[in-house]
Amino acid sequence: MLSYLVPGLSAFFLVLLFMPAARRLAWKTKLLDVPRGRKGHARPMPLSGGLAMFAGVAVVSIFFAGVQKLVAVLLGGSLLLMAVGWADDAFKARKKDFPVLPKLLMQILAGLLAFACGFRFRGIGLSWLGGDGGDYYLFPDWLSCLATIIWIAGLINMINFLDGVDGLAAGATVFSAITLFFLAYVKGQGLTALIAIVLAGAALAFLRFNFFPAEVFMGDMGSMFLGYALALVSLEGAMKGATLITLVVTVLALGLPVMDTLQVMISRMLAGSPMYQADRRHVHHRLMSRGLTARQTVVILYLVSFFFSALSLLLFFWIIP
């Protein structure tokens, strides 16, 4: 396991090295989040943190693993998402709202890329602890494709929804990525474990600049990249050959973004509000509306993430023969 520290730390220090250049690029190109409406910051903030994280993950992954299929799909799909994310962030900089449809189409395209390259939901064990033979239901291609796209697009948007207070989305990614690393390592999935720990190192380095008070934001580029990376790692890791129990383990590993999204969807449904309409129903908004500071809110939600991660690992180790 110690051998994974080298790529993880390499990603950490490389992102630290790249971040000042990414910030300068944002100021030079005016890629800045200008305060307006529901925004909690008081001055323009660079939206280029995602570029530094992507660059760090790309360099370290290629150096330690080469251009294997998982690495190629991760980087190729991320480039598609970051292109539309850049456009979205550029609209923010001009105090305009980017349309939802292009982002959704690019998320679907990234999901199709993963599916076409073999990173997909193949089926699920119907018994709780798994089984063989008739206990495994193999998805038809249409269902496998649909489930894969929903999983990938869902996680991309879940991480994006969390990116509403300094340090929250990146911190939740660190907890989830480390949990997925342990799951992949125990299952003997070396490449998946490598990508997970590299992702954790990159997100942790970003926190140096994003924890309250933030100096830089990840932007839609960053949130979509992190969500896509977590989705791929979970599909190729804990979800590979999924049983009902490994599905639960994976959802718990991604517990905070899943919990936040579910409670927002239920709340909007009960209120009769559109699902796509931005509001202040997210868990961090609810905590801050009760008088907590941004820092207190993030620390509490880090503890929630830790709880979900610990529960995921305990459940996983409990079912290992």
Side-chain angles (χ1 to χ4, degrees):
M1 184 179 292
L2 290 177
S3 61
Y4 288 98
L5 282 177
V6 177
L9 289 173
S10 298
F12 177 84
F13 287 113
L14 206 54
V15 171
L16 288 182
L17 183 66
F18 287 159
M19 196 63 69
R23 292 171 63 190
R24 287 195 297 271
L25 177 64
W27 283 102
K28 185 175 182 179
T29 60
K30 305 300 182 184
L31 195 68
L32 306 169
D33 192 348
V34 181
R36 67 184 177 112
R38 298 180 305 116
K39 302 294 184 179
H41 56 287
R43 57 188 175 87
M45 297 291 291
L47 285 164
S48 54
L51 285 174
M53 287 191 286
F54 172 78
V57 170
V59 170
V60 175
S61 298
I62 291 173
F63 181 83
F64 284 96
V67 190
Q68 298 189 48
K69 187 163 64 172
L70 178 57
V71 176
V73 172
L74 170 62
L75 301 184
S78 296
L79 284 173
L80 293 175
L81 293 166
M82 291 180 70
V84 74
W86 181 290
D88 191 348
D89 292 336
F91 267 64
K92 285 191 185 78
R94 298 198 300 268
K95 298 185 179 182
K96 296 181 180 179
D97 292 322
F98 190 74
V100 174
L101 185 58
K103 290 198 293 185
L104 180 59
L105 289 176
M106 203 61 78
Q107 291 168 13
I108 292 173
L109 186 58
L112 287 173
L113 173 65
F115 175 80
C117 293
F119 304 105
R120 60 178 72 171
F121 275 107
R122 299 184 183 277
I124 190 166
L126 298 180
S127 64
W128 180 246
L129 294 177
D132 49 30
D135 288 330
Y136 191 81
Y137 175 69
L138 185 65
F139 289 170
D141 284 346
W142 70 267
L143 181 56
S144 175
C145 183
L146 180 62
T148 301
I149 291 173
I150 290 174
W151 181 258
I152 289 175
L155 264 175
I156 290 170
N157 286 292
M158 287 177 192
I159 297 299
N160 181 262
F161 293 156
L162 275 186
D163 191 27
V165 61
D166 296 351
L168 182 55
T173 297
V174 172
F175 283 105
S176 293
I178 290 175
T179 307
L180 292 172
F181 161 74
F182 281 112
L183 298 178
Y185 176 80
V186 172
K187 293 180 72 174
Q189 299 167 327
L191 180 57
T192 307
L194 174 70
I195 299 298
I197 200 65
V198 167
L199 184 65
L204 187 61
F206 174 69
L207 281 176
R208 157 66 181 80
F209 302 89
N210 186 244
F211 193 76
F212 185 86
E215 302 172 28
V216 61
F217 291 163
M218 67 174 66
D220 267 38
M221 287 186 292
S223 62
M224 289 202 284
F225 164 61
L226 294 180
Y228 184 64
L230 287 174
L232 274 183
V233 168
S234 59
L235 277 175
E236 188 63 6
M239 293 291 291
K240 197 169 186 178
T243 62
L244 292 177
I245 191 70
T246 56
L247 177 61
V248 172
V249 165
T250 306
V251 169
L252 287 173
L254 303 161
L256 181 59
V258 171
M259 178 199 73
D260 178 59
T261 301
L262 286 177
Q263 68 88 20
V264 167
M265 291 176 63
I266 293 171
S267 176
R268 289 175 181 170
M269 188 182 304
L270 293 176
S273 302
M275 288 294 172
Y276 57 84
Q277 181 177 310
D279 53 35
R280 299 187 66 84
R281 287 189 169 94
H282 291 284
V283 63
H284 50 277
H285 292 140
R286 294 181 185 274
L287 290 175
M288 292 173 71
S289 70
R290 293 179 177 273
L292 273 67
T293 65
R295 187 187 295 269
Q296 290 168 338
T297 296
V298 171
V299 170
I300 288 174
L301 292 178
Y302 281 177
L303 293 175
V304 172
S305 289
F306 176 80
F307 169 77
F308 277 124
S309 293
L311 190 58
S312 173
L313 291 173
L314 286 172
L315 187 58
F316 179 75
F317 287 118
W318 174 68
I319 66 170
I320 292 178

mmCIF file of all heavy atoms in Angstrom, residues 67-99:
data_model
loop_
_atom_site.group_PDB
_atom_site.id
_atom_site.type_symbol
_atom_site.label_atom_id
_atom_site.label_comp_id
_atom_site.label_asym_id
_atom_site.label_seq_id
_atom_site.Cartn_x
_atom_site.Cartn_y
_atom_site.Cartn_z
ATOM 1 N N VAL A 67 -0.799 5.266 -20.959
ATOM 2 C CA VAL A 67 -2.117 5.584 -21.516
ATOM 3 C C VAL A 67 -2.927 4.292 -21.629
ATOM 4 O O VAL A 67 -3.271 3.846 -22.730
ATOM 5 C CB VAL A 67 -1.995 6.306 -22.876
ATOM 6 C CG1 VAL A 67 -3.364 6.836 -23.323
ATOM 7 C CG2 VAL A 67 -1.011 7.467 -22.785
ATOM 8 N N GLN A 68 -3.194 3.691 -20.478
ATOM 9 C CA GLN A 68 -4.090 2.539 -20.460
ATOM 10 C C GLN A 68 -5.525 3.016 -20.687
ATOM 11 O O GLN A 68 -5.829 4.201 -20.600
ATOM 12 C CB GLN A 68 -3.968 1.810 -19.124
ATOM 13 C CG GLN A 68 -2.582 1.241 -18.864
ATOM 14 C CD GLN A 68 -2.551 0.348 -17.639
ATOM 15 O OE1 GLN A 68 -3.391 -0.538 -17.462
ATOM 16 N NE2 GLN A 68 -1.565 0.575 -16.778
ATOM 17 N N LYS A 69 -6.416 2.069 -20.963
ATOM 18 C CA LYS A 69 -7.766 2.438 -21.378
ATOM 19 C C LYS A 69 -8.482 3.285 -20.336
ATOM 20 O O LYS A 69 -9.140 4.285 -20.675
ATOM 21 C CB LYS A 69 -8.591 1.181 -21.693
ATOM 22 C CG LYS A 69 -9.947 1.504 -22.295
ATOM 23 C CD LYS A 69 -10.570 0.304 -22.984
ATOM 24 C CE LYS A 69 -10.871 -0.832 -22.033
ATOM 25 N NZ LYS A 69 -11.654 -1.901 -22.697
ATOM 26 N N LEU A 70 -8.367 2.933 -19.053
ATOM 27 C CA LEU A 70 -9.033 3.706 -18.014
ATOM 28 C C LEU A 70 -8.505 5.135 -17.974
ATOM 29 O O LEU A 70 -9.276 6.091 -17.833
ATOM 30 C CB LEU A 70 -8.850 3.033 -16.649
ATOM 31 C CG LEU A 70 -9.463 3.752 -15.439
ATOM 32 C CD1 LEU A 70 -10.959 3.958 -15.634
ATOM 33 C CD2 LEU A 70 -9.176 2.980 -14.150
ATOM 34 N N VAL A 71 -7.196 5.283 -18.112
ATOM 35 C CA VAL A 71 -6.592 6.617 -18.104
ATOM 36 C C VAL A 71 -7.058 7.410 -19.324
ATOM 37 O O VAL A 71 -7.416 8.589 -19.220
ATOM 38 C CB VAL A 71 -5.056 6.517 -18.086
ATOM 39 C CG1 VAL A 71 -4.421 7.906 -18.180
ATOM 40 C CG2 VAL A 71 -4.587 5.803 -16.825
ATOM 41 N N ALA A 72 -7.085 6.769 -20.487
ATOM 42 C CA ALA A 72 -7.496 7.452 -21.712
ATOM 43 C C ALA A 72 -8.949 7.910 -21.640
ATOM 44 O O ALA A 72 -9.281 9.035 -22.043
ATOM 45 C CB ALA A 72 -7.289 6.528 -22.921
ATOM 46 N N VAL A 73 -9.827 7.055 -21.120
ATOM 47 C CA VAL A 73 -11.244 7.416 -21.011
ATOM 48 C C VAL A 73 -11.430 8.516 -19.979
ATOM 49 O O VAL A 73 -12.219 9.451 -20.186
ATOM 50 C CB VAL A 73 -12.095 6.185 -20.663
ATOM 51 C CG1 VAL A 73 -13.541 6.574 -20.345
ATOM 52 C CG2 VAL A 73 -12.072 5.186 -21.812
ATOM 53 N N LEU A 74 -10.715 8.436 -18.874
ATOM 54 C CA LEU A 74 -10.792 9.477 -17.849
ATOM 55 C C LEU A 74 -10.397 10.829 -18.428
ATOM 56 O O LEU A 74 -11.110 11.828 -18.270
ATOM 57 C CB LEU A 74 -9.890 9.123 -16.670
ATOM 58 C CG LEU A 74 -9.683 10.232 -15.621
ATOM 59 C CD1 LEU A 74 -11.008 10.599 -14.960
ATOM 60 C CD2 LEU A 74 -8.654 9.801 -14.578
ATOM 61 N N LEU A 75 -9.264 10.872 -19.118
ATOM 62 C CA LEU A 75 -8.772 12.144 -19.634
ATOM 63 C C LEU A 75 -9.594 12.621 -20.830
ATOM 64 O O LEU A 75 -9.898 13.811 -20.949
ATOM 65 C CB LEU A 75 -7.293 12.019 -20.016
ATOM 66 C CG LEU A 75 -6.350 11.603 -18.877
ATOM 67 C CD1 LEU A 75 -4.903 11.618 -19.344
ATOM 68 C CD2 LEU A 75 -6.522 12.501 -17.662
ATOM 69 N N GLY A 76 -9.986 11.698 -21.713
ATOM 70 C CA GLY A 76 -10.778 12.083 -22.878
ATOM 71 C C GLY A 76 -12.145 12.608 -22.491
ATOM 72 O O GLY A 76 -12.586 13.666 -22.964
ATOM 73 N N GLY A 77 -12.841 11.879 -21.617
ATOM 74 C CA GLY A 77 -14.153 12.331 -21.163
ATOM 75 C C GLY A 77 -14.065 13.627 -20.379
ATOM 76 O O GLY A 77 -14.928 14.509 -20.500
ATOM 77 N N SER A 78 -13.013 13.758 -19.582
ATOM 78 C CA SER A 78 -12.840 14.986 -18.791
ATOM 79 C C SER A 78 -12.606 16.193 -19.681
ATOM 80 O O SER A 78 -13.093 17.297 -19.392
ATOM 81 C CB SER A 78 -11.666 14.818 -17.815
ATOM 82 O OG SER A 78 -11.938 13.803 -16.867
ATOM 83 N N LEU A 79 -11.870 16.009 -20.768
ATOM 84 C CA LEU A 79 -11.633 17.124 -21.691
ATOM 85 C C LEU A 79 -12.948 17.600 -22.318
ATOM 86 O O LEU A 79 -13.164 18.810 -22.490
ATOM 87 C CB LEU A 79 -10.642 16.708 -22.777
ATOM 88 C CG LEU A 79 -9.169 16.652 -22.350
ATOM 89 C CD1 LEU A 79 -8.309 16.063 -23.464
ATOM 90 C CD2 LEU A 79 -8.657 18.049 -21.971
ATOM 91 N N LEU A 80 -13.825 16.657 -22.680
ATOM 92 C CA LEU A 80 -15.133 17.029 -23.211
ATOM 93 C C LEU A 80 -15.913 17.857 -22.196
ATOM 94 O O LEU A 80 -16.493 18.899 -22.522
ATOM 95 C CB LEU A 80 -15.932 15.775 -23.573
ATOM 96 C CG LEU A 80 -15.414 14.922 -24.725
ATOM 97 C CD1 LEU A 80 -16.261 13.654 -24.855
ATOM 98 C CD2 LEU A 80 -15.437 15.706 -26.038
ATOM 99 N N LEU A 81 -15.924 17.379 -20.961
ATOM 100 C CA LEU A 81 -16.679 18.054 -19.908
ATOM 101 C C LEU A 81 -16.066 19.399 -19.552
ATOM 102 O O LEU A 81 -16.782 20.383 -19.292
ATOM 103 C CB LEU A 81 -16.742 17.157 -18.671
ATOM 104 C CG LEU A 81 -17.561 15.870 -18.848
ATOM 105 C CD1 LEU A 81 -17.274 14.903 -17.714
ATOM 106 C CD2 LEU A 81 -19.049 16.188 -18.914
ATOM 107 N N MET A 82 -14.750 19.459 -19.542
ATOM 108 C CA MET A 82 -14.103 20.710 -19.175
ATOM 109 C C MET A 82 -14.250 21.765 -20.271
ATOM 110 O O MET A 82 -14.245 22.961 -19.995
ATOM 111 C CB MET A 82 -12.630 20.459 -18.847
ATOM 112 C CG MET A 82 -12.447 19.669 -17.557
ATOM 113 S SD MET A 82 -10.735 19.369 -17.143
ATOM 114 C CE MET A 82 -10.202 21.021 -16.697
ATOM 115 N N ALA A 83 -14.419 21.329 -21.513
ATOM 116 C CA ALA A 83 -14.659 22.286 -22.595
ATOM 117 C C ALA A 83 -15.990 23.004 -22.383
ATOM 118 O O ALA A 83 -16.067 24.240 -22.470
ATOM 119 C CB ALA A 83 -14.643 21.569 -23.944
ATOM 120 N N VAL A 84 -17.037 22.233 -22.087
ATOM 121 C CA VAL A 84 -18.335 22.870 -21.844
ATOM 122 C C VAL A 84 -18.330 23.576 -20.490
ATOM 123 O O VAL A 84 -19.006 24.598 -20.309
ATOM 124 C CB VAL A 84 -19.481 21.835 -21.944
ATOM 125 C CG1 VAL A 84 -19.524 20.908 -20.728
ATOM 126 C CG2 VAL A 84 -20.826 22.528 -22.123
ATOM 127 N N GLY A 85 -17.540 23.062 -19.547
ATOM 128 C CA GLY A 85 -17.401 23.729 -18.257
ATOM 129 C C GLY A 85 -16.729 25.080 -18.395
ATOM 130 O O GLY A 85 -17.098 26.057 -17.722
ATOM 131 N N TRP A 86 -15.731 25.170 -19.273
ATOM 132 C CA TRP A 86 -15.071 26.457 -19.540
ATOM 133 C C TRP A 86 -16.087 27.455 -20.096
ATOM 134 O O TRP A 86 -16.114 28.627 -19.688
ATOM 135 C CB TRP A 86 -13.918 26.266 -20.519
ATOM 136 C CG TRP A 86 -13.174 27.537 -20.829
ATOM 137 C CD1 TRP A 86 -13.631 28.608 -21.548
ATOM 138 C CD2 TRP A 86 -11.853 27.894 -20.402
ATOM 139 N NE1 TRP A 86 -12.684 29.594 -21.623
ATOM 140 C CE2 TRP A 86 -11.570 29.193 -20.929
ATOM 141 C CE3 TRP A 86 -10.879 27.237 -19.650
ATOM 142 C CZ2 TRP A 86 -10.358 29.832 -20.711
ATOM 143 C CZ3 TRP A 86 -9.659 27.881 -19.441
ATOM 144 C CH2 TRP A 86 -9.415 29.165 -19.961
ATOM 145 N N ALA A 87 -16.932 26.980 -21.024
ATOM 146 C CA ALA A 87 -17.954 27.857 -21.591
ATOM 147 C C ALA A 87 -18.914 28.349 -20.507
ATOM 148 O O ALA A 87 -19.277 29.527 -20.453
ATOM 149 C CB ALA A 87 -18.723 27.127 -22.690
ATOM 150 N N ASP A 88 -19.318 27.436 -19.621
ATOM 151 C CA ASP A 88 -20.205 27.808 -18.520
ATOM 152 C C ASP A 88 -19.539 28.841 -17.621
ATOM 153 O O ASP A 88 -20.146 29.850 -17.238
ATOM 154 C CB ASP A 88 -20.562 26.553 -17.727
ATOM 155 C CG ASP A 88 -21.687 26.802 -16.726
ATOM 156 O OD1 ASP A 88 -22.042 27.964 -16.482
ATOM 157 O OD2 ASP A 88 -22.213 25.820 -16.173
ATOM 158 N N ASP A 89 -18.277 28.600 -17.282
ATOM 159 C CA ASP A 89 -17.554 29.527 -16.411
ATOM 160 C C ASP A 89 -17.357 30.885 -17.093
ATOM 161 O O ASP A 89 -17.383 31.941 -16.440
ATOM 162 C CB ASP A 89 -16.195 28.938 -16.019
ATOM 163 C CG ASP A 89 -16.349 27.724 -15.105
ATOM 164 O OD1 ASP A 89 -17.389 27.615 -14.435
ATOM 165 O OD2 ASP A 89 -15.429 26.879 -15.079
ATOM 166 N N ALA A 90 -17.157 30.870 -18.419
ATOM 167 C CA ALA A 90 -17.015 32.127 -19.148
ATOM 168 C C ALA A 90 -18.315 32.924 -19.117
ATOM 169 O O ALA A 90 -18.296 34.163 -19.021
ATOM 170 C CB ALA A 90 -16.595 31.852 -20.596
ATOM 171 N N PHE A 91 -19.441 32.224 -19.177
ATOM 172 C CA PHE A 91 -20.733 32.904 -19.054
ATOM 173 C C PHE A 91 -20.867 33.525 -17.667
ATOM 174 O O PHE A 91 -21.359 34.638 -17.524
ATOM 175 C CB PHE A 91 -21.873 31.912 -19.310
ATOM 176 C CG PHE A 91 -22.343 31.877 -20.731
ATOM 177 C CD1 PHE A 91 -21.492 31.453 -21.737
ATOM 178 C CD2 PHE A 91 -23.625 32.266 -21.071
ATOM 179 C CE1 PHE A 91 -21.907 31.412 -23.062
ATOM 180 C CE2 PHE A 91 -24.058 32.237 -22.385
ATOM 181 C CZ PHE A 91 -23.192 31.808 -23.391
ATOM 182 N N LYS A 92 -20.457 32.777 -16.626
ATOM 183 C CA LYS A 92 -20.500 33.317 -15.263
ATOM 184 C C LYS A 92 -19.694 34.609 -15.176
ATOM 185 O O LYS A 92 -20.093 35.571 -14.517
ATOM 186 C CB LYS A 92 -19.932 32.306 -14.268
ATOM 187 C CG LYS A 92 -20.807 31.128 -13.926
ATOM 188 C CD LYS A 92 -20.217 30.382 -12.749
ATOM 189 C CE LYS A 92 -20.983 29.106 -12.430
ATOM 190 N NZ LYS A 92 -20.634 28.019 -13.366
ATOM 191 N N ALA A 93 -18.536 34.603 -15.812
ATOM 192 C CA ALA A 93 -17.667 35.769 -15.754
ATOM 193 C C ALA A 93 -18.337 36.995 -16.368
ATOM 194 O O ALA A 93 -18.031 38.136 -15.989
ATOM 195 C CB ALA A 93 -16.346 35.474 -16.469
ATOM 196 N N ARG A 94 -19.258 36.754 -17.302
ATOM 197 C CA ARG A 94 -19.987 37.864 -17.930
ATOM 198 C C ARG A 94 -21.351 38.078 -17.285
ATOM 199 O O ARG A 94 -22.214 38.764 -17.848
ATOM 200 C CB ARG A 94 -20.150 37.594 -19.428
ATOM 201 C CG ARG A 94 -18.846 37.488 -20.193
ATOM 202 C CD ARG A 94 -19.047 37.668 -21.686
ATOM 203 N NE ARG A 94 -19.945 36.664 -22.245
ATOM 204 C CZ ARG A 94 -19.554 35.501 -22.755
ATOM 205 N NH1 ARG A 94 -18.261 35.191 -22.759
ATOM 206 N NH2 ARG A 94 -20.420 34.648 -23.256
ATOM 207 N N LYS A 95 -21.546 37.466 -16.113
ATOM 208 C CA LYS A 95 -22.794 37.583 -15.350
ATOM 209 C C LYS A 95 -24.004 37.080 -16.144
ATOM 210 O O LYS A 95 -25.094 37.635 -16.071
ATOM 211 C CB LYS A 95 -23.031 39.033 -14.900
ATOM 212 C CG LYS A 95 -21.954 39.568 -13.971
ATOM 213 C CD LYS A 95 -22.312 40.953 -13.459
ATOM 214 C CE LYS A 95 -21.252 41.490 -12.512
ATOM 215 N NZ LYS A 95 -21.600 42.820 -11.970
ATOM 216 N N LYS A 96 -23.768 36.003 -16.899
ATOM 217 C CA LYS A 96 -24.834 35.380 -17.667
ATOM 218 C C LYS A 96 -24.990 33.924 -17.250
ATOM 219 O O LYS A 96 -24.056 33.326 -16.694
ATOM 220 C CB LYS A 96 -24.536 35.463 -19.166
ATOM 221 C CG LYS A 96 -24.496 36.879 -19.719
ATOM 222 C CD LYS A 96 -24.227 36.863 -21.210
ATOM 223 C CE LYS A 96 -24.184 38.274 -21.784
ATOM 224 N NZ LYS A 96 -23.905 38.272 -23.247
ATOM 225 N N ASP A 97 -26.157 33.344 -17.509
ATOM 226 C CA ASP A 97 -26.414 31.943 -17.204
ATOM 227 C C ASP A 97 -26.244 31.100 -18.460
ATOM 228 O O ASP A 97 -26.818 31.403 -19.519
ATOM 229 C CB ASP A 97 -27.836 31.763 -16.649
ATOM 230 C CG ASP A 97 -27.994 32.395 -15.279
ATOM 231 O OD1 ASP A 97 -27.037 32.314 -14.479
ATOM 232 O OD2 ASP A 97 -29.070 32.968 -15.008
ATOM 233 N N PHE A 98 -25.457 30.045 -18.331
ATOM 234 C CA PHE A 98 -25.218 29.129 -19.453
ATOM 235 C C PHE A 98 -26.387 28.157 -19.554
ATOM 236 O O PHE A 98 -26.875 27.663 -18.538
ATOM 237 C CB PHE A 98 -23.908 28.376 -19.223
ATOM 238 C CG PHE A 98 -23.429 27.591 -20.408
ATOM 239 C CD1 PHE A 98 -22.884 28.239 -21.502
ATOM 240 C CD2 PHE A 98 -23.511 26.201 -20.418
ATOM 241 C CE1 PHE A 98 -22.426 27.517 -22.599
ATOM 242 C CE2 PHE A 98 -23.050 25.479 -21.500
ATOM 243 C CZ PHE A 98 -22.507 26.129 -22.603
ATOM 244 N N PRO A 99 -26.870 27.842 -20.767
ATOM 245 C CA PRO A 99 -28.002 26.909 -20.894
ATOM 246 C C PRO A 99 -27.648 25.510 -20.401
ATOM 247 O O PRO A 99 -26.502 25.061 -20.492
ATOM 248 C CB PRO A 99 -28.306 26.921 -22.394
ATOM 249 C CG PRO A 99 -27.075 27.453 -23.047
ATOM 250 C CD PRO A 99 -26.450 28.391 -22.068
#
